Structure formats: C-alpha cells, structure tokens
Amino acid sequence: MTTSLRAAPPKDLVLDDGFRFLHGQTIAPFSIRYETFGALNAGKSNAILVCHALSASAHAAGKYTDAEGEKSGWWDGLIGHGKGIDLDQYFVICANIPGSCYGTTSPESVDPATGKPYGSRYPWPAIEDMVHSQKILLDRLGITHLRAVAGGSLGGMQVLMWAACYPDFMDSIITMAAGPAVPVQGIAWHVIGRKMIESDARFNGGDYYDHPEPLRGLQIARMVGHMTYLSAKSLQSKFGRRRRGNTRQFEIDSYFEYQGRKFAAQYDANSYIRVQAAMDEMDLEEQHGSLQQAFAKWRGRTLLVSFDTDWLFPVSEVERVEAAMTANGTPVQHERISSPNGHDTFLIDYDLITEPVRAFLSSLPGRFEVA
C-alpha cells in the first residue's frame, strides 16, 4: 500500500498544426507532455483523467527508477496498486497543462521561427485551454469516455470546468480543495506575488532567458503563494515564534527562504504568472450567469472534498457547487474533512482522503472490465 510503482517514461503528443488558445493565439507545433499509469482495458472504459495543480506535472504517481532520493509522483499516496485510485482496476492519464514548464510547450520552449524562447510572446492560457488540451489528448488515445475526472486545487478547478464543458464525457468527477472561482482574498495574494515577479529588475517583461539564474521575485512570490496553502494552526505547530539557534531569524523565515529557492530553481516565472492568472480568471458563475446554469447539463456522480482549515478555498466555496448541483438534481456527495494542514491537505493526509475516494469509485453504477 505504501510503495511507489515503477512509472513509465513520459510521452509527448505533438500537434503539428498547433494548439489554438481561448484568447485567439495559436502556437505550432505544440507538444503535450503526458503520463499514463496502469493498464487500459479492451473496451477503454476504465480510464480516469487526473488534473494537476499549479506547481505539479504529468508525473502523478510512482518513480522512474530505484535511485535513492528520487521523488515520487505528486499524488502517489492516492494513485497506485491497492490505493484509493486503484491501478488494479483503473487506467490513469495525467497531462501537463498549457503554460506549465514541465514538458508541454511553454514560455521557455524555443520558438522554431526565431530560435529563441517564446517568453513574453507566449499566450495567457485559460482553464478552458487546459481542459481542451486534455480532451485532444484523450481523443488521440482513442478514449471516448472516462470513468472519472479527478483533481485538487487548480486541478479541481479543471475538473469543474470539465463538468461545464464536456458533461457527457465522464461518469463522475472528484474535486478537492477547489471551487468555481478563487475568492477575492486568494486573488489578492496572487496579484501581490505576480507583481513581485514583474517588478524584479531581471524579469525584463518576461524575456529573461539569457540570464539563467532564478529570479528573486519568483522566490518571494512563491513564499506569498505558499502562505495560502497553510493554516494558522499548522504554522503555529510547525514554527510558532521559534528562532534559528541563537540567531534573530525566525524558523518561518528560514522555511520560506528554503521553499522559495527550491521552487524557483525548478519552475519558470513566466509559467507561474500565467498559470496562476488562469486560475484567477476562471469564474463559472460569471461565465454562465449562475452556477446552476454552469452545471445544467452535468448529471454524473460528484464527490466534493473540502477541508475546514483551507482558506484559499473555504468550505463555503465548495458548498456553492454542492447547492447548484443539488438544485439541478445531480447526485452530489460532499465530504467535509477536518485537518490542521489547510489547503495542502489533499497532498498530505492520504489517510483522510483515500477511503472517501475508494468508496465513491466503488459505488459508481455500471460495471467495467479491468485490464
């Protein structure tokens, strides 16, 4: 149950004719990085699409090698043989989203027309672009229906967009720590972080790739963003007002500096501001007139998971989705989970989220053959 599977290498779907973004721009060719886990059955009816959050990638589970220190996929505690999303039964697909810097064509990718990174010329993606790119991939894989679409945080927002855009394509959805729009306090913190990046003297409007050192603005923006993932309770228990040794530096200062440097060494600033802005731009109520209308055609089974210490997406935001779907007559199960770990609970407390996911998938009507 606790071991990681051996993950297959990532694959790339190359769209020679390119990918057209919601706001009108097209990048050609365009590559979508994806990974698959488990085995697809003969009828291609046991597939689950997993959508990743801002800083994650297509590597949702397992390890590529047995090398010491290699990090497992970001949802490894939930996806695997005998786990909540059981690979003995399901075939899982996870695709890196447009704008992200982990394999899919991104701002740091080289434009074949210029020989230089796209940088500032890369489009500003929307959540719809992420969902449409996943749909294109599934079409190319010959998968015409999904058992479920699942994700947390930004991944959970993609799941809700799937229900609005492709309501007949899946039997069920599972969304954690996510809502139909980022509340204004979350947008405020996000905007502050993006302005820190854009005000970095080396940012140069997004064309900074001649200088490979991580941007200090990105490091600080990540510190701000990381605050929204924690809770007051977890901050107090982990750090309190403790100092580092006999110095004046607070432990929380040291922790944020470490997290900022680590993140900026792996992630791209242009990707950060674009993917986060896409998250802030999504508002299903604004786009459709009401949440009830947004989910008017969605009739599949729904599992909503909220966490009592999550202030980025409070329980009340998830309850808005629950109320809209219930008003439409859609079967909804809302698991309200108590944890001190805030927004990050969906990545940490597998003992709390595994059983609700396992029970939900097991309860879905209709039977399918495992591979």
Side-chain angles (χ1 to χ4, degrees), residues 45-64:
S45 61
N46 68 332
I48 292 178
L49 175 70
V50 166
C51 305
H52 70 76
L54 187 152
S55 60
S57 68
H59 188 47
K63 294 182 177 182
Y64 301 124

Side-chain angles (χ1 to χ4, degrees), residues 6-294:
R6 177 63 67 85
K11 306 177 184 70
D12 293 304
L13 171 64
V14 179
L15 306 176
D16 292 325
D17 294 333
F19 179 80
R20 182 177 174 82
F21 288 77
L22 179 69
H23 297 309
Q25 307 96 321
T26 297
I27 287 185
F30 192 88
S31 181
I32 300 172
R33 174 69 53 88
Y34 69 100
E35 295 190 28
T36 62
F37 312 88
L40 187 63
N41 65 16
K44 297 186 176 182
S45 61
N46 68 332
I48 292 178
L49 175 70
V50 166
C51 305
H52 70 76
L54 187 152
S55 60
S57 68
H59 188 47
K63 294 182 177 182
Y64 301 124
T65 70
D66 293 326
E68 186 175 350
E70 182 181 341
K71 190 176 180 181
S72 299
W74 58 269
W75 231 2
D76 190 69
L78 188 66
I79 301 170
H81 297 285
K83 297 182 181 180
I85 299 178
D86 190 353
L87 295 182
D88 291 335
Q89 300 182 61
Y90 302 108
F91 174 72
V92 171
I93 310 107
C94 185
N96 189 223
I97 57 177
S100 173
C101 57
Y102 289 133
T104 293
T105 302
S106 72
E108 67 178 358
S109 299
V110 174
D111 179 355
T114 65
K116 296 181 178 181
Y118 286 101
S120 63
R121 295 176 297 110
Y122 191 90
W124 289 77
I127 304 295
E128 289 93 328
D129 293 317
M130 301 172 189
V131 169
H132 293 156
S133 69
Q134 293 157 356
K135 177 65 162 54
I136 290 170
L137 172 63
L138 293 169
D139 289 345
R140 293 294 183 91
L141 294 176
I143 296 173
T144 59
H145 196 79
L146 293 166
R147 191 62 168 161
V149 183
S153 189
L154 170 60
M157 296 181 78
Q158 294 168 58
V159 172
L160 294 176
M161 187 61 77
W162 263 96
C165 292
Y166 297 106
D168 298 322
F169 200 81
M170 54 278 183
D171 294 328
S172 66
I173 59 172
I174 301 170
T175 178
M176 302 186 189
V182 177
V184 65
Q185 62 183 0
I187 292 176
W189 286 112
H190 289 171
V191 167
I192 291 170
R194 293 199 292 275
K195 288 184 180 296
M196 287 175 175
I197 293 173
E198 292 164 349
S199 64
D200 189 310
R202 290 181 44 241
F203 181 66
N204 191 32
D207 297 312
Y208 49 82
Y209 295 105
D210 290 337
H211 305 281
E213 299 82 8
L215 297 177
R216 178 61 176 169
L218 177 58
Q219 295 177 7
I220 300 174
R222 182 57 174 179
M223 297 179 201
V224 172
H226 201 73
M227 263 297 297
T228 67
Y229 307 148
L230 305 173
S231 70
K233 187 180 295 185
S234 64
L235 284 169
Q236 182 61 39
S237 63
K238 290 179 180 178
F239 308 107
R241 290 183 52 83
R242 294 187 295 277
R243 314 275 181 144
R244 297 230 359 124
N246 296 320
T247 71
R248 295 180 62 248
Q249 185 184 31
F250 287 104
E251 287 281 0
I252 185 63
D253 180 6
S254 174
Y255 174 76
F256 277 157
E257 282 287 351
Y258 168 77
Q259 291 294 338
R261 288 193 299 270
K262 178 182 175 184
F263 181 78
Q266 300 171 343
Y267 209 80
D268 178 50
N270 275 323
S271 287
Y272 189 81
I273 62 175
R274 280 166 172 76
V275 174
Q276 191 187 71
M279 188 175 181
D280 292 343
E281 183 180 324
M282 174 174 156
D283 188 335
L284 287 175
E285 184 174 27
E286 179 181 77
Q287 291 168 276
H288 294 269
S290 70
L291 289 183
Q292 194 171 340
Q293 187 61 34

Side-chain angles (χ1 to χ4, degrees), residues 288-345:
H288 294 269
S290 70
L291 289 183
Q292 194 171 340
Q293 187 61 34
F295 301 121
K297 296 181 180 179
W298 169 242
R299 289 294 182 269
R301 297 292 183 95
T302 300
L303 174 61
L304 306 173
V305 182
S306 62
F307 307 111
D308 62 345
T309 54
D310 181 356
W311 70 262
L312 183 58
F313 286 106
V315 175
S316 58
E317 285 298 304
V318 183
E319 288 175 340
R320 293 175 60 216
V321 177
E322 179 185 19
M325 290 188 178
T326 300
N328 286 338
T330 303
V332 182
Q333 175 184 341
H334 183 181
E335 293 286 336
R336 297 165 175 83
I337 293 178
S338 179
S339 165
N341 290 315
H343 184 69
D344 271 352
T345 300

